[in-house]
Amino acid sequence: MPATPAKVPLILAPTPLHHLHALSTELSLDLWIKRDDLTGFAFGGNKGRKLEYLIADALGQDAEVVVTCGAAQSNFVRQLGAACSMYGLQGAAAVMSLPFDRPAGKPGGAHLGAGGNLILDEILGVDVRLYPDGDWDELYALAEELALSFEGVGRKVYRVPVGGSSPLGALAFYQAAQELNAGPFDWIVVASSSGSTQTGLAYAFDGSSTQVLGIACDPEPEIGEDFAEIGRGLAKLTDHPRELAASDLLLDFASVGEGYGIPSSEGQHAIELVARREGIFLDPVYTGKAFAGLIRQAETGGISGRVLFWHTGGTPALFAAPG
């Protein structure tokens, strides 16, 4: 077994795991929730788990600046900024209000604008560079330009992919699966976008009776291939006996709505339902859509039995003004 990579302490773990009594009855499921919205770090969320490994790796490489990219309301940028500040690093991010997949086209509808995570980024001192909207490849290129600009003045840069989705990011969720002491579950349902959360959980439960279902928040059908690539690196980190193909990673695209970053009426219904029945808030970009997918899957018989919803956080986006 390869040595486990170093990590720094950021989050409070294990996060709570509890039963959703009202919604279990309403949806005819034995429904549980994993509260990664309560990681206790920088307004909570799943990204802190990844950053424990990523920041340790950056420090191990003597980095001075950590550069990433994402949407302007990125939860990862917010938590990256907090982690960098804590460990004496400069956090920087290339962002667009609404990055999109060019083949799918720029989505219509109101996206999230000012407020929310952007306020927190400013408090945390993140160097946020806002660019006009374009596709994801353009944003990745801008992030590389930003990294090169820091290197051009002699600063050592650590590059982090969007959402912290790398083999190290996935490792955090491979390890987090050990916190599920109330199992076994028939299904784990999670919001999927950049992929390391679903990939890590899928590897952790590979070969078991638990199936991991990602409710996609991106309209790109090829994201499964991206997840498989992350998984190949994770398999090496964990000495996993096999590499999962894209077809092994279950994805449901029916709750994307108009596109990434565009709140949906289905997602808004899920946010209101979970808040009113269980006193738990979801967010409009990820968990609202994911829970909407869970509801649909339950109503159509796609999932049944003992089900866990992995709440990945993101609630600051509830306070973002429409763009």
Side-chain angles (χ1 to χ4, degrees), residues 39-104:
T39 52
F41 169 68
F43 264 93
N46 67 327
K47 313 300 187 182
R49 291 189 185 273
K50 309 176 190 187
L51 285 161
E52 290 191 325
Y53 288 104
L54 294 167
I55 294 297
D57 195 40
L59 293 171
Q61 296 185 31
D62 297 320
E64 300 170 276
V65 183
V66 181
V67 174
T68 192
C69 63
Q73 286 294 334
S74 169
N75 299 302
F76 181 70
V77 170
R78 177 235 314 163
Q79 293 202 4
L80 173 71
C84 284
S85 294
M86 290 171 64
Y87 285 93
L89 300 166
Q90 172 65 62
V95 305
M96 296 174 175
S97 294
L98 191 63
F100 59 90
D101 177 46
R102 188 163 297 280

Side-chain angles (χ1 to χ4, degrees), residues 105-294:
K106 186 174 180 178
H111 62 280
L112 303 178
N117 280 309
L118 285 170
I119 294 173
L120 304 178
D121 293 341
E122 185 174 355
I123 291 171
L124 292 165
V126 187
D127 184 352
V128 175
R129 310 288 182 94
L130 179 62
Y131 297 95
D133 290 345
D135 71 12
W136 285 103
D137 287 338
E138 292 172 17
L139 183 56
Y140 301 153
L142 289 165
E144 180 59 18
E145 286 181 16
L146 180 57
L148 291 172
S149 73
F150 283 110
E151 290 175 337
V153 294
R155 305 190 73 187
K156 188 161 185 181
V157 174
Y158 183 82
R159 294 162 170 82
V160 179
V162 63
S165 284
S166 66
L168 277 178
L171 177 64
F173 283 88
Y174 184 88
Q175 300 289 358
Q178 298 175 16
E179 297 178 14
L180 300 188
N181 55 10
F185 293 95
D186 297 301
W187 292 90
I188 297 175
V189 179
V190 64
S192 270
S193 181
S194 56
S196 53
T197 303
Q198 180 178 352
T199 303
L201 293 173
Y203 270 82
F205 290 100
D206 182 38
S208 76
S209 61
T210 299
Q211 299 190 76
V212 179
L213 174 63
I215 307 297
C217 301
D218 281 292
E220 306 166 48
E222 68 275 12
I223 60 173
E225 298 293 342
D226 297 336
F227 297 3
E229 179 63 27
I230 293 168
R232 284 188 279 275
L234 177 61
K236 291 181 175 66
L237 287 176
T238 59
D239 204 20
H240 196 76
R242 74 183 187 111
E243 294 180 355
L244 302 183
S247 57
D248 296 316
L249 300 163
L250 303 179
L251 280 162
D252 175 349
F253 288 88
S255 290
V256 172
E258 293 293 324
Y260 174 77
I262 305 294
S264 67
S265 58
E266 182 190 46
Q268 183 62 31
H269 168 73
I271 290 170
E272 294 174 1
L273 179 71
V274 177
R276 295 174 186 182
R277 298 291 190 275
E278 303 288 354
I280 298 169
F281 285 96
L282 307 178
D283 83 286
V285 177
Y286 300 105
T287 52
K289 290 184 178 182
F291 204 91
L294 184 154

